[in-house]
Amino acid sequence: MTGRADVAGTSAPVDGGVFADAWTGWPMRAFLRAGGLSREAVRRRPVIGICSSWSELNPCNMGLRGLAESVRRGVTAAGGTAVVFPTISLHEQFVAPTTMLLRNLMSMDVEEMIRCSPIDGVVLLAGCDKTVPAQLMGAASAGKPAIMLTAGPRCWARFRGEPLVTDDGWRLVAELIEGRLSAGEWDRLEDVFCAGTGVCNVMGTASTMAVLAEALGMALPGSAVVPAAQARRSDLAERTGVRAVELARAGTVPETVLTEAAFDNALRVLVAIGGSANAVIHLEAIARRLGLVLGLDRLQRISRQTPRVLAVRPSGTFSLEDFDEAGGVPALLRVLAPLLRREAVLADGRTVAEVAAAASGRPGPCLRPLAEPFEPDGGLVVLRGSLAPRGSIFKRSAAPARLWTHRGPALVFDDYRTALQRSLDPALRATPDTVLVVRNAGPAGAPGMPEIDVIPIPVSLRQAGVQDMVCVTDGRMSGTQPGAVALHVTPEAAAGGPIGLVRDGDEIVLDARRGVLDLLVDERVLARRASEPRPARPAPSRGYEALYVQHVLQADAGCDLDFLAGTPAATA
Ligand code: FES
């Protein structure tokens, strides 16, 4: 294996060396030495790329720069050479209109940098929500040995004398809207809300994806929920560097790790922890990069068979630190072992069965045995029916039980911005039974499938004490947010889905126990509405956004771009 010819996606174990070849390696060695590497370092194998989503535009990921140095130490100690390279980084609050629009672009950046660079393997450094799936999608497609280390949750803050974590933000926004939080307190909240780097410190999308990366076998066992600020994370980084060298020497590519068994386990873990609904979309997208189709029927089956055994906020009252103290993901695997595909191999080379058997930790009240779960079923429910023919996701674990079954009249908002504006109108007519419908928030329609940050409960109802209402949307919701929301309604309004035909006052039925989301309107009436002209929304005409809208798949297919599915070998 010599020269750059070997960077075109080979999975062969390293032997000679891109940089070691006397002739073709010369310019690469010369340029690398400009960066301070020694004569010996540029000839060592394997060369491990450290793919970092560190950025000052991404505070959640700012700890990754330090972790990259720890990874480098591990790579060097194992006999390899490490080179750090940047990619696009996406922070949930900094990217407009939504990070989901750019997840696929980041995955393409990651894929091509791994594939086209003279590296034998890669360590993926991610944290904030979309950076984890984007890196996993890119690495799956690039086909070189890869292992991930996530940033870890940030430490807790304190506000008004009490601990403050990310999902408290939703409650405090509501208090501000209702006039129960003063301007001074709001200012003070800004001062303390983020007490350091690291990802949101509840089981939102970032931590859910970190847990799933571990369950999939792409991150070291025990790594997902170790706090960002703890020295244990540096230790994990060093061990990740060592393991990256071993994977590169063995030629272990993601395709051999990300098997159907690994995805089954990840889905089971997802519903057992009451994790973020966004992860359903991301897992589907990662799987399809390897030619696998998960599908919502699989999720529904697994969810019905899997008790929810973890109760970390927002799907419970406990913290990520409680989960870490209880043993983290290995302890969870021990609890779930009878339901898991135990032959799947995790990132340190052990099987799920071996990791589960060896799991230690002090079992805490946040993690219960299978026989005494928090709920007998999983935290996510697939809804289907005349309003969502191809499915919708309902995060039962974060919704009040009294709204798991509901029937009420629709109040329709044609986009999220309008929903927020109209919800502040004291004259807006609604009752606690009203079903709030927020549409044109899907992958193609928004575009980019933004999150419903605040459920648009009319201010008059808020002031009367109403804190929860059923909401139906073709968009997404933050994984940190609680609420009775039927999410990802597919097909979306922009793709001709029935959600685009709902009118104020139409009766809607949501039944999370039976998995139903129905619009109680006669089919002939819907057909007539469908034939009526609707205002056309201007389509983006250039650049990435135009490419995205032309090629994005619906939520049930992972919202990837259609031309990115499948392995390079399969699509050649
Ligand atoms: Fe980055 Fe929540 S905003 S993880």
Side-chain angles (χ1 to χ4, degrees):
M1 189 198 306
T2 59
R4 292 186 64 88
D6 75 333
V7 301
T10 180
S11 60
V14 295
D15 45 24
V18 180
F19 298 111
D21 180 74
W23 184 243
T24 54
W26 178 85
M28 289 183 239
R29 293 197 301 272
F31 277 100
L32 272 183
R33 291 185 68 183
L37 291 183
S38 70
R39 182 179 180 81
E40 290 70 34
V42 298
R43 286 173 171 76
R44 273 203 297 262
R45 292 298 297 275
V47 178
I48 300 296
I50 302 177
C51 176
S52 178
S53 55
W54 176 90
S55 165
E56 287 188 1
L57 276 174
N58 193 339
C60 300
N61 288 15
M62 281 175 68
L64 297 179
R65 183 147 69 176
L67 291 177
E69 291 312 307
S70 300
V71 172
R72 188 198 301 278
R73 278 199 300 278
V75 171
T76 305
T81 285
V83 284
V84 183
F85 64 93
T87 65
I88 296 171
S89 189
L90 305 171
H91 186 271
E92 291 302 303
Q93 298 301 322
F94 287 19
V95 173
T98 167
T99 51
M100 192 62 182
L101 182 67
L102 299 187
R103 181 201 65 176
N104 300 339
L105 182 64
M106 180 176 170
S107 79
M108 293 167 75
D109 182 0
V110 169
E111 173 183 346
E112 299 307 335
M113 283 305 294
I114 296 173
R115 191 207 321 281
C116 300
S117 300
I119 56 176
D120 303 302
V122 66
V123 174
L124 307 163
L125 295 183
C128 199
D129 296 17
K130 308 302 180 298
T131 60
V132 179
Q135 286 192 342
L136 292 174
M137 291 159 71
S141 295
K144 288 188 184 179
I147 185 168
M148 172 171 273
L149 178 70
T150 49
R154 64 176 167 265
C155 57
W156 286 28
R158 289 190 74 78
F159 183 61
R160 297 191 298 202
E162 292 176 358
L164 177 78
V165 294
T166 311
D167 67 352
D168 286 313
W170 308 117
R171 174 176 54 80
L172 293 166
V173 167
E175 285 189 24
L176 183 75
I177 293 171
E178 295 156 17
R180 292 191 288 122
L181 197 74
S182 71
E185 286 177 310
W186 189 244
D187 265 0
R188 170 84 182 124
L189 180 64
E190 179 185 312
D191 291 341
V192 302
F193 190 68
C194 294
T197 62
V199 302
C200 290
N201 43 18
V202 291
M203 193 60 83
T205 303
S207 287
T208 298
M209 289 308 301
V211 166
L212 298 184
E214 200 178 316
L216 283 167
M218 292 298 292
L220 286 180
S223 63
V225 292
V226 172
Q230 286 202 5
R232 281 190 294 151
R233 192 153 283 282
S234 302
D235 178 74
L236 282 163
E238 206 166 305
R239 288 195 281 128
T240 299
V242 171
R243 184 62 184 155
V245 170
E246 293 170 356
L247 291 170
R249 287 189 173 137
T252 306
V253 293
E255 194 168 359
T256 62
V257 177
L258 296 171
T259 59
E260 193 163 0
F263 282 105
D264 276 352
N265 287 343
L267 286 171
R268 203 171 289 283
V269 163
L270 171 62
V271 298
I273 65 175
S276 167
N278 291 320
V280 176
I281 295 175
H282 299 321
L283 284 175
E284 191 71 47
I286 298 164
R288 287 177 184 237
R289 289 295 181 98
L290 296 167
L292 298 170
V293 173
L294 304 182
L296 294 182
D297 287 342
R298 184 188 306 244
L299 173 68
Q300 184 74 312
R301 173 174 50 79
I302 287 175
S303 189
R304 284 185 172 145
Q305 298 166 343
T306 309
R308 184 168 69 81
V309 294
L310 190 74
V312 166
R313 292 174 64 168
S315 294
T317 57
F318 296 97
S319 71
L320 284 171
E321 292 185 16
D322 293 328
F323 181 32
D324 180 41
E325 194 179 349
V329 175
L332 176 72
L333 297 180
R334 183 181 57 199
V335 169
L336 294 176
L339 302 175
L340 293 171
R341 296 183 65 172
R342 283 168 283 181
E343 75 281 11
V345 176
L346 298 179
D348 64 357
R350 292 181 294 165
T351 62
V352 167
E354 290 167 336
V355 170
S360 59
R362 219 158 1 117
C366 70
L367 178 62
R368 289 189 183 167
L370 275 179
E372 301 167 37
F374 291 97
E375 286 171 35
D377 301 329
L380 297 176
V381 176
V382 177
L383 308 175
R384 281 203 175 88
S386 55
L387 187 49
R390 282 168 52 186
S392 164
I393 304 293
F394 185 75
K395 189 172 174 181
R396 178 172 48 193
S397 57
R402 64 182 174 75
L403 294 180
W404 291 0
T405 304
H406 183 78
R407 174 175 173 158
L411 175 61
V412 181
F413 305 104
D414 272 332
D415 57 63
Y416 179 51
R417 181 185 292 254
T418 306
L420 283 185
Q421 286 168 348
R422 290 185 61 203
S423 72
L424 296 176
D425 178 358
L428 184 65
R429 295 182 58 157
T431 73
D433 286 338
T434 297
V435 176
L436 307 166
V437 177
V438 182
R439 63 189 176 197
N440 297 310
M449 208 179 183
E451 291 178 346
I452 305 296
D453 285 333
V454 178
I455 298 170
I457 297 174
V459 68
S460 56
L461 293 178
R462 279 193 188 281
Q463 286 168 343
V466 175
Q467 295 181 337
D468 303 294
M469 290 173 72
V470 169
C471 182
V472 175
T473 180
D474 49 9
R476 296 177 302 116
M477 181 172 81
S478 168
T480 64
Q481 187 179 329
V485 189
L487 299 155
H488 315 173
V489 167
T490 307
E492 62 178 310
I499 189 171
L501 305 176
V502 184
R503 301 238 172 119
D504 285 352
D506 289 349
E507 287 286 309
I508 290 175
V509 170
L510 182 154
D511 189 337
R513 293 191 171 86
R514 292 189 298 123
V516 168
L517 186 62
D518 275 337
L519 175 63
L520 303 184
V521 176
D522 188 89
E523 279 181 19
R524 285 167 299 183
V525 174
L526 291 177
R528 193 180 66 237
R529 290 181 189 174
S531 67
E532 293 169 358
R534 274 178 285 174
R537 297 180 152 253
S541 60
R542 64 169 298 281
Y544 172 73
E545 200 169 317
L547 180 79
Y548 176 92
V549 169
Q550 286 162 17
H551 292 280
V552 70
L553 298 168
Q554 290 287 285
D556 60 342
C559 297
D560 203 357
L561 304 182
D562 53 12
F563 57 82
L564 293 173
T567 58
T571 54

